[in-house]
Amino acid sequence: MSVCIAYIAGCIYVAVPVIAQAPASTGADWRPTSNVNINYTAYVLLTGIVLTIAVGALVQPHGKIRIAQVIAALILAAGIWATGTRAALLGLGAGIAFTLTRKLTASRTGWLLIATGFVPVALLSVALGWYGDAQLPELERFFNRQTGDLSGRLDVWPYARAIWESAELTGVGMNHFRAMNPLGIGSHNIVLTLGVDFGWIGVILYASMVGAAMAGFGRHVRCRRLGGLLLLSWVLIWATGHWEAASAAWLVLGLWSRLPELVDSLPRPTAPFSSVSRGEPEKLLHPTAAIV
């Protein structure tokens, strides 16, 4: 829990100057005066909101905790808005939608549909060109930052797909893609990055690692809710960024891998306060104990 709180505090420390520096309209070329990557900043702030919700879901609720939780989430959301980063804004919207429909998505069936259905299909669809090259630019009309090519993603993805096809199983080697494409940039997509570098072997191993980190989530309502929230918040970041290179992502994935053990260690409520039935092994501390 102390790691989560430290992460959230660091996010707030970064969000405040980003909000202060943001112009009225964050166009395609806006950058803060501090030496930060604005997209990674937005991704980290979005993850900070997920951690804020997790802290509120895993501790016994008190009024002061709720107030601090809401204030932190609002500051981080304002920071994301100030960056104008589209993947983070869409991830924030997906997280809000998931939270509002938590009663439907907390079931084992809903969890499996998200973890083994929607998320991998969405990532593969964009990476392999089944969906994205023609449809994704339509999203830009909803944002101030409009580049017409999703900031170069639509230009670099065809090169990544062509190079991956030349070595589908094993890839061409780590970090070779920047030198092999004329744009000199990374592929900005988790599937294409792993596919080009390590082939299908790398893609499957990474997916297996994420799956192993969340393997025990099926037996706990709170784990399913937090797992679904994280995956839906991250799916567009994975699809358009180099989130696999961020230490913040690995830290949070490590924390999430411990959630089942943490929930197992929480005290069980007495019968009048139980809100989970039908043999669910995980009980809430109180009807208001989880907000996800």
Side-chain angles (χ1 to χ4, degrees):
M1 196 64 67
S2 59
V3 176
C4 293
I5 294 173
Y7 189 109
I8 295 166
C11 288
I12 294 173
Y13 179 81
V14 171
V16 171
V18 169
I19 296 169
Q21 295 170 23
S25 176
T26 51
D29 297 326
W30 177 74
R31 292 291 185 275
T33 55
S34 55
N35 186 25
V36 299
N37 182 299
I38 200 62
N39 288 333
Y40 279 110
T41 299
Y43 304 158
V44 169
L45 297 183
L46 177 60
T47 304
I49 293 178
V50 176
L51 285 173
T52 302
I53 294 174
V55 170
L58 296 173
V59 300
Q60 191 165 2
H62 298 288
K64 292 182 179 179
I65 293 177
R66 286 287 182 239
I67 293 172
Q69 185 184 6
V70 171
I71 292 174
L74 289 175
I75 292 173
L76 299 182
I80 295 170
W81 184 267
T83 67
T85 298
R86 292 158 296 199
L89 288 169
L90 290 170
L92 179 61
I96 293 172
F98 178 83
T99 302
L100 294 176
T101 60
R102 60 187 181 275
K103 291 183 179 179
L104 297 176
T105 50
S107 67
R108 288 189 176 91
T109 301
W111 163 245
L112 289 174
L113 286 175
I114 292 172
T116 65
F118 174 77
V119 170
V121 169
L123 291 175
L124 287 172
S125 295
V126 173
L128 301 180
W130 302 337
Y131 178 95
D133 289 11
Q135 292 82 5
L136 283 177
E138 291 296 320
L139 294 174
E140 291 200 334
R141 62 192 179 92
F142 298 106
F143 300 96
N144 290 330
R145 187 187 297 183
Q146 298 181 15
T147 61
D149 60 356
L150 289 175
S151 299
R153 270 69 165 174
L154 299 180
D155 293 332
V156 76
W157 287 344
Y159 291 109
R161 292 169 188 145
I163 293 173
W164 186 8
E165 288 177 0
S166 68
E168 289 189 0
L169 185 61
T170 59
V172 297
M174 187 174 180
N175 295 327
H176 288 184
F177 179 69
R178 291 178 183 270
M180 295 177 69
N181 78 84
L183 300 177
I185 61 175
S187 59
H188 288 278
N189 178 283
I190 182 66
V191 177
L192 290 175
T193 297
L194 294 170
V196 170
D197 288 356
F198 308 112
W200 279 110
I201 293 175
V203 173
I204 293 171
L205 287 175
Y206 186 89
S208 300
M209 180 188 59
V210 175
M214 300 186 179
F217 281 28
R219 70 178 188 266
H220 292 299
V221 172
R222 268 178 282 189
C223 288
R224 293 196 293 267
R225 289 172 175 169
L226 292 173
L229 178 64
L230 185 70
L231 290 177
L232 290 180
S233 298
W234 277 6
V235 65
L236 275 174
I237 297 175
W238 270 326
T240 61
H242 280 291
W243 196 224
E244 79 288 342
S247 57
W250 291 103
L251 172 63
V252 173
L253 189 60
L255 290 173
W256 250 239
S257 71
R258 306 302 300 171
L259 282 180
E261 289 77 11
L262 178 59
V263 173
D264 283 336
S265 69
L266 295 176
R268 301 296 179 88
T270 57
F273 294 98
S274 177
S275 64
V276 183
S277 59
R278 297 179 300 279
E280 291 283 0
E282 186 262 342
K283 308 293 184 180
L284 299 182
L285 295 172
H286 187 275
T288 61
I291 67 169
V292 297

